[in-house]
Amino acid sequence: MHKPVIIVCGILDTKGKEINYLRERINEVGGEARVMEISLGKEVGWADIPLSTVLNETGKKKEEIVTSSRDAASSMICEAGQAYVKKLYETGEIDGIISYGGSMGATISTSIMRSLPIGVPKMMLTTMASGDVRPYVGSKDITMMYPIAEAGLNVVTRQILSQAAAGIVGMAMAPQVNQAEIKPLLGCMMFGVTTPCVLKASAFFEEQGDYDVIINHSTGAGGRSMEEMIEDGFIKGLLDITTHELVDERFGGVLSAGADRLTAAAKKGIPQVLAPGGLEIINFGPRETIPKEHMDRVGLPGKGLYIHNATVTCIGTSPDEIREIASEIAQKLNTAKAPTTFFIPMRGWSAVDIKEPNKELGWSGPGPGVCWIEDKNKPGWSKRSMVFYEMLKRELDISKDNIEILVVDKHLNEPEFALLMANVLNDMLKGQYTKGKYADIEYVVESI
Amino acid sequence: MHKPVIIVCGILDTKGKEINYLRERINEVGGEARVMEISLGKEVGWADIPLSTVLNETGKKKEEIVTSSRDAASSMICEAGQAYVKKLYETGEIDGIISYGGSMGATISTSIMRSLPIGVPKMMLTTMASGDVRPYVGSKDITMMYPIAEAGLNVVTRQILSQAAAGIVGMAMAPQVNQAEIKPLLGCMMFGVTTPCVLKASAFFEEQGDYDVIINHSTGAGGRSMEEMIEDGFIKGLLDITTHELVDERFGGVLSAGADRLTAAAKKGIPQVLAPGGLEIINFGPRETIPKEHMDRVGLPGKGLYIHNATVTCIGTSPDEIREIASEIAQKLNTAKAPTTFFIPMRGWSAVDIKEPNKELGWSGPGPGVCWIEDKNKPGWSKRSMVFYEMLKRELDISKDNIEILVVDKHLNEPEFALLMANVLNDMLKGQYTKGKYADIEYVVESI
């Protein structure tokens, strides 16, 4: 039977005996441990993958580590370590990774772990594990274990390290998931205010029975995790109904998913249908935390203030901001090879972006949704939809057969809009997609 | 071979299919899964340990859950669940525990996990695991795993749940730690300002070679974890050099270890030597976060202000506060059955509580340590030591053979003080302790 190869990552000049104990225990329970050195002080000489071998991956020398600042040294090791394990993964030489360390060890080791795809078992033992672990875990399947003590081998730590070793080997030897049970997976992005659309579109695929749908919240971590699942090959098609995180990234909101949001699907070549859900609002924390430059513009066209609850406040986006976002979206989608359709619902983009109260679409009123701005020349249509459409039409490469803009005379949360998105994605997945196929439906304004 | 029994804990009325999948995977890899229901809505009927069985442990009925508020219901289930798994543990019917849930599921499940001793494998899968997990982990060896998705069975979650199942079974089947490698464990409590004493006393035992020493920081979590390790039977003797957390608990500091600090050793009957390290300071966060009632008293006798760094500020304790603490300590130690000696160093309790600069004792000056107060009648002796001694002598039951006060004409960080503590604990551990044995040493003022 194949022995699972477990990389045991550690700062050996200070945690050498603990890492060596992990190695012995991993080998004892049927794993094949390989100690990978990320020492900041000196190379210890007994690692299976010495510091210099790791650093060689990015052309660095161990002498540079010793003479650099601690910060610079740790960045160098992170980068080299990521490159090294990536190579191991590509050649099938890693079945799991584990580490034990303090805050520095945890920072370096988990940055290396995060560079591996979802599904490669990853375990970090650190006393940092009883606190805020978001910087370590991010949006990856990293298992954090609290080892009680920061260092030392004694009856407590030996027991915990033994269990961790047996745990990571067990995880690496887990039976393959039964392929018969698995359906291809679709990704879907959701917000509270786009829920009706998301549930309707995902129900389409559940009823049809050919796909599972994984729904992530557009909270920053949710978008990052979606992009990573696409990169890691888990997602076969994308219902990107809530592209909101682009706005928070560009205009200083708190739910940013980084600059790479909306890029993985194009890069990976999976079909995608998109909509501007949530692009009408920038998300902040409690009202008193909103930066002055944003508060000063509240009341200008589109800049409504919406207090969601004590910890979440939103401000609407202006037409100018929407032009910028549309341009960014066009640049990102122009590289797509697979079918890619951007849907523009002309009657509003979410529960708070709607002309009048409508409980089924998520807005109880009174009056229009707090972020609604109407187009002067076209009553009932959103000003944002108009400027978004103009910019997208100008910058999106719609000369290509696989790139399309679909303008719909509906609100985003109307069932017809959700079902149209689902049908187009289904066509794409089944190889039945052709641009303009739904141009004749009465509420389709344009399909170009 | 014994199949490890894994309790699979879950809110079955909302996470039933995920919990059932975990059960199947655990059984597949050689575990014996038993599903324990902690549903808040209704009893589902298929659990191995149904909700009513769990609740029966504390005399509650499932009808009370349904009609109670969510908060009250969750408290009832926590309490009953803790009692239930405690019984399983005592009868040897639990080898590990795992759960998958949202924030409510994680709250209930980890409260149940925390009631089990260190060393029983505990794993929690929740999307809360990429955030602040201190409320879930506390000071126990709980493994937190980030499962990417909040719910649903799909190619991603199936893979992660399969690995988690194999991981917990692996942990539960980990070989016993080699007894020949293990030395009995001593616990020791440390602060930055008591480090010289701690290192000297623990070095005594390391050089002697009969014991391992586990050193925890007096950060609240450190003290809790020490009390728990004592309760769980890991600690054979206690060097409680830094009893600081009592002060933060009583006077509103941030490093409180709860009301039970300083109780486990007496309850468990292990020998202990104690000192007032850190009782001279109350710990706060950044200076601007210190409550007004504390800032108002800065400058009064003993109430010095010490800015440790940007995030840690300390204020000294007053003689009146020290009397209260001495009284609390006396009540707690009076129940001890094993030998228990409280050491009072008359020349100061830490690096910031010292008459004049002394680098080896941790204070570079200039001038006296920021928290120093001198006794008017006895130059060189600490006012706090005097009032502490008076109160302890009055309230500690020194009529008993196993309870002793040892007054020493030294500073806490002086090597002679540390070695005296170590020697007395060593006597206790070797059965060579008698009260008053060191009364004749020149710097021992009193031994009663």
Side-chain angles (χ1 to χ4, degrees):
Chain A
M1 188 172 177
H2 168 70
K3 279 190 176 187
V5 174
I6 309 295
I7 297 297
V8 188
C9 188
I11 297 185
L12 304 182
D13 53 342
T14 61
K15 289 280 193 298
K17 64 182 176 182
E18 294 86 350
I19 294 291
N20 188 50
Y21 187 77
L22 262 180
R23 161 160 75 174
E24 290 171 1
R25 297 289 78 73
I26 286 167
N27 292 336
E28 182 185 26
V29 294
E32 185 181 328
R34 290 197 194 141
V35 173
M36 173 170 154
E37 181 170 27
I38 54 166
S39 303
L40 286 161
K42 63 170 209 289
E43 190 170 88
V44 295
W46 56 267
D48 301 306
I49 308 163
L51 181 61
S52 9
T53 307
V54 175
L55 289 171
N56 188 45
E57 204 55 36
T58 47
K60 301 284 180 192
K61 302 263 171 249
K62 63 184 175 188
E63 292 72 23
E64 295 176 69
I65 295 298
V66 183
T67 56
S68 297
S69 74
R70 230 172 129 74
D71 252 20
S74 92
S75 298
M76 271 186 247
I77 297 177
C78 285
E79 213 179 308
Q82 289 166 7
Y84 193 87
V85 299
K86 197 167 176 233
K87 194 181 67 180
L88 290 181
Y89 177 74
E90 280 162 4
T91 54
E93 291 170 272
I94 178 171
D95 299 302
I97 180 167
I98 189 169
S99 176
Y100 177 50
S103 64
M104 181 59 90
T107 299
I108 299 176
S109 297
T110 56
S111 96
I112 293 171
M113 291 177 190
R114 287 195 304 276
S115 73
L116 288 165
I118 291 166
V120 178
K122 310 163 181 77
M123 190 182 285
M124 182 74 227
L125 289 98
T126 174
T127 53
M128 300 290 120
S130 181
D132 184 2
V133 298
R134 189 184 306 261
Y136 305 114
V137 175
S139 46
K140 276 290 166 77
D141 53 338
I142 295 180
T143 297
M144 299 287 289
M145 191 166 179
Y146 182 68
I148 311 289
E150 273 177 48
L153 286 180
N154 54 56
V155 58
V156 174
T157 53
R158 280 173 198 269
Q159 183 159 359
I160 291 175
L161 289 170
S162 295
Q163 289 179 353
I168 191 80
V169 172
M171 288 166 74
M173 293 173 79
Q176 287 297 307
V177 171
N178 181 354
Q179 294 300 317
E181 285 178 325
I182 296 182
K183 297 174 186 172
L185 189 61
L186 306 180
C188 183
M189 295 303 301
M190 171 158 115
F191 236 1
V193 290
T194 62
T195 303
C197 179
V198 165
L199 294 186
K200 191 78 188 170
S202 58
F204 171 95
F205 289 101
E206 275 158 32
E207 283 159 23
Q208 184 213 53
D210 295 341
Y211 299 91
D212 282 328
V213 181
I214 192 166
I215 299 173
N216 276 19
H217 285 75
S218 295
T219 53
R224 279 180 210 267
S225 153
M226 185 60 72
E227 299 287 317
E228 287 170 1
M229 285 190 287
I230 294 168
E231 276 170 33
D232 293 351
F234 287 103
I235 305 290
K236 304 305 177 196
L238 184 61
L239 273 165
D240 210 339
I241 292 168
T242 315
T243 43
H244 163 79
E245 287 149 324
L246 297 176
V247 162
D248 275 18
E249 166 71 9
R250 179 169 285 264
F251 302 117
V254 295
L255 304 183
S256 161
D260 291 339
R261 179 77 173 88
L262 223 74
T263 60
K267 207 185 300 170
K268 195 78 180 181
I270 62 162
Q272 55 181 328
V273 293
L274 308 96
L279 291 181
E280 73 287 353
I281 43 176
I282 310 172
N283 259 267
F284 297 97
R287 184 174 169 160
E288 63 275 15
T289 65
I290 300 181
K292 187 170 180 305
E293 69 266 28
H294 285 282
M295 281 309 291
D296 285 351
R297 295 168 62 213
V298 167
L300 295 178
K303 307 300 287 179
L305 180 80
Y306 169 55
I307 300 178
H308 184 66
N309 60 37
T311 55
V312 178
T313 320
C314 307
I315 292 181
T317 44
S318 70
D320 282 346
E321 286 167 338
I322 286 303
R323 276 187 199 95
E324 279 187 50
I325 289 289
S327 170
E328 175 184 340
I329 289 174
Q331 308 321 317
K332 284 178 167 174
L333 298 184
N334 278 341
T335 63
K337 298 281 178 290
T340 298
T341 300
F342 204 105
F343 289 73
I344 308 177
M346 298 308 286
R347 296 187 175 271
W349 299 353
S350 83
V352 293
D353 182 32
I354 189 166
K355 189 177 180 182
E356 49 201 29
N358 183 326
K359 275 202 172 175
E360 272 157 35
L361 307 189
W363 181 247
S364 309
V370 284
C371 293
W372 171 253
I373 17 173
E374 193 162 36
D375 187 74
K376 278 186 194 154
N377 306 315
K378 189 79 185 171
W381 280 17
S382 149
K383 170 78 176 168
R384 286 193 198 86
S385 291
M386 293 298 268
V387 302
F388 189 89
Y389 168 59
E390 282 161 21
M391 182 57 87
L392 205 60
K393 191 173 171 182
R394 186 186 313 161
E395 300 207 350
L396 193 64
D397 191 359
I398 46 175
S399 69
K400 290 181 179 165
D401 280 349
N402 68 312
I403 295 185
E404 181 182 16
I405 301 174
L406 227 153
V407 182
V408 188
D409 186 14
K410 289 286 174 191
H411 185 274
L412 180 129
N413 280 340
E414 285 188 86
E416 295 87 349
F417 183 80
L419 288 174
L420 188 58
M421 288 191 77
N423 270 296
V424 171
L425 181 60
N426 188 47
D427 289 346
M428 293 172 172
L429 292 161
K430 301 280 167 67
Q432 296 160 0
Y433 168 79
T434 49
K435 197 163 152 173
K437 180 172 173 183
Y438 297 98
D440 293 339
I441 292 182
E442 55 157 321
Y443 46 81
V444 170
V445 180
E446 192 154 33
S447 172
I448 52 175
Chain B
M1 187 173 179
H2 168 70
K3 279 190 176 187
V5 174
I6 309 295
I7 297 297
V8 189
C9 188
I11 298 185
L12 304 183
D13 52 343
T14 61
K15 289 281 194 297
K17 64 182 177 183
E18 295 86 350
I19 294 291
N20 188 50
Y21 187 77
L22 262 180
R23 160 161 75 174
E24 290 171 1
R25 297 289 77 74
I26 287 168
N27 291 336
E28 182 185 27
V29 295
E32 185 181 329
R34 290 196 196 145
V35 173
M36 173 171 155
E37 181 170 27
I38 54 166
S39 303
L40 286 162
K42 63 170 207 291
E43 190 170 88
V44 295
W46 57 267
D48 301 306
I49 309 163
L51 181 61
S52 11
T53 307
V54 176
L55 290 171
N56 188 46
E57 205 56 35
T58 47
K60 301 284 180 192
K61 302 263 172 251
K62 63 184 176 190
E63 292 72 22
E64 294 176 70
I65 296 298
V66 183
T67 56
S68 297
S69 74
R70 230 173 129 75
D71 252 20
S74 93
S75 298
M76 272 186 246
I77 298 177
C78 285
E79 213 179 307
Q82 290 165 8
Y84 194 87
V85 298
K86 198 167 175 231
K87 194 181 67 179
L88 290 181
Y89 177 74
E90 281 162 4
T91 54
E93 291 170 273
I94 178 171
D95 299 302
I97 180 167
I98 190 169
S99 176
Y100 177 50
S103 65
M104 181 59 89
T107 299
I108 299 176
S109 297
T110 57
S111 97
I112 294 171
M113 291 177 190
R114 286 195 304 276
S115 73
L116 287 165
I118 291 166
V120 179
K122 310 163 182 77
M123 190 182 285
M124 181 74 226
L125 289 98
T126 174
T127 53
M128 300 290 120
S130 180
D132 184 2
V133 298
R134 189 184 307 260
Y136 305 114
V137 175
S139 46
K140 276 290 166 77
D141 54 337
I142 295 180
T143 297
M144 299 288 289
M145 191 167 179
Y146 182 68
I148 311 289
E150 273 177 48
L153 285 180
N154 54 55
V155 58
V156 174
T157 52
R158 280 173 198 269
Q159 183 159 0
I160 291 175
L161 289 170
S162 295
Q163 289 178 353
I168 191 79
V169 172
M171 288 166 74
M173 293 173 81
Q176 287 297 308
V177 171
N178 182 354
Q179 293 299 319
E181 285 177 325
I182 295 182
K183 296 173 185 171
L185 189 61
L186 306 180
C188 183
M189 294 304 300
M190 171 158 114
F191 236 1
V193 291
T194 62
T195 303
C197 179
V198 165
L199 294 186
K200 190 77 189 170
S202 58
F204 171 95
F205 289 101
E206 275 158 32
E207 284 159 23
Q208 183 213 53
D210 295 341
Y211 299 91
D212 282 328
V213 181
I214 192 165
I215 299 173
N216 276 19
H217 285 76
S218 296
T219 53
R224 279 180 210 266
S225 153
M226 185 60 72
E227 299 287 318
E228 287 170 1
M229 285 190 287
I230 294 167
E231 277 171 32
D232 293 351
F234 287 103
I235 305 290
K236 304 306 177 195
L238 184 61
L239 272 165
D240 211 338
I241 292 169
T242 316
T243 43
H244 162 78
E245 288 149 323
L246 297 176
V247 162
D248 275 18
E249 166 71 10
R250 179 169 285 263
F251 302 117
V254 294
L255 304 183
S256 161
D260 291 339
R261 179 77 173 89
L262 222 74
T263 60
K267 207 186 300 170
K268 195 79 180 180
I270 63 163
Q272 55 182 328
V273 293
L274 308 96
L279 291 181
E280 73 287 354
I281 43 176
I282 310 172
N283 259 268
F284 297 98
R287 185 175 169 159
E288 63 275 15
T289 65
I290 300 181
K292 186 170 181 305
E293 69 265 28
H294 285 281
M295 281 309 290
D296 285 351
R297 294 168 62 214
V298 167
L300 295 177
K303 307 299 288 180
L305 180 80
Y306 168 55
I307 300 178
H308 184 66
N309 60 37
T311 55
V312 178
T313 321
C314 307
I315 292 181
T317 44
S318 70
D320 282 347
E321 286 167 338
I322 286 302
R323 276 187 199 95
E324 279 188 49
I325 289 289
S327 171
E328 175 184 341
I329 289 174
Q331 307 321 317
K332 284 177 167 174
L333 298 184
N334 278 342
T335 63
K337 298 280 176 291
T340 298
T341 301
F342 205 105
F343 289 73
I344 308 177
M346 298 308 286
R347 296 187 174 272
W349 299 353
S350 82
V352 294
D353 182 32
I354 188 165
K355 189 177 180 182
E356 49 201 29
N358 183 325
K359 274 202 173 175
E360 272 158 33
L361 307 190
W363 181 247
S364 308
V370 284
C371 293
W372 171 252
I373 16 174
E374 193 162 36
D375 187 73
K376 277 186 194 153
N377 306 314
K378 189 79 186 172
W381 279 18
S382 148
K383 171 78 176 168
R384 286 193 198 86
S385 291
M386 294 299 269
V387 302
F388 189 90
Y389 168 59
E390 282 161 21
M391 182 57 88
L392 205 60
K393 192 173 170 182
R394 186 186 313 161
E395 300 207 349
L396 194 64
D397 191 359
I398 47 175
S399 69
K400 291 181 179 164
D401 280 349
N402 67 312
I403 294 185
E404 181 182 16
I405 301 174
L406 226 154
V407 182
V408 188
D409 186 14
K410 289 286 174 192
H411 185 273
L412 179 129
N413 281 339
E414 285 188 85
E416 295 87 348
F417 183 80
L419 288 174
L420 188 57
M421 287 191 77
N423 270 297
V424 172
L425 182 59
N426 188 48
D427 289 345
M428 292 172 172
L429 292 161
K430 301 279 167 68
Q432 297 160 359
Y433 167 80
T434 49
K435 196 163 151 173
K437 179 172 173 184
Y438 298 98
D440 293 339
I441 293 182
E442 55 158 321
Y443 46 81
V444 170
V445 180
E446 192 154 33
S447 172
I448 52 175

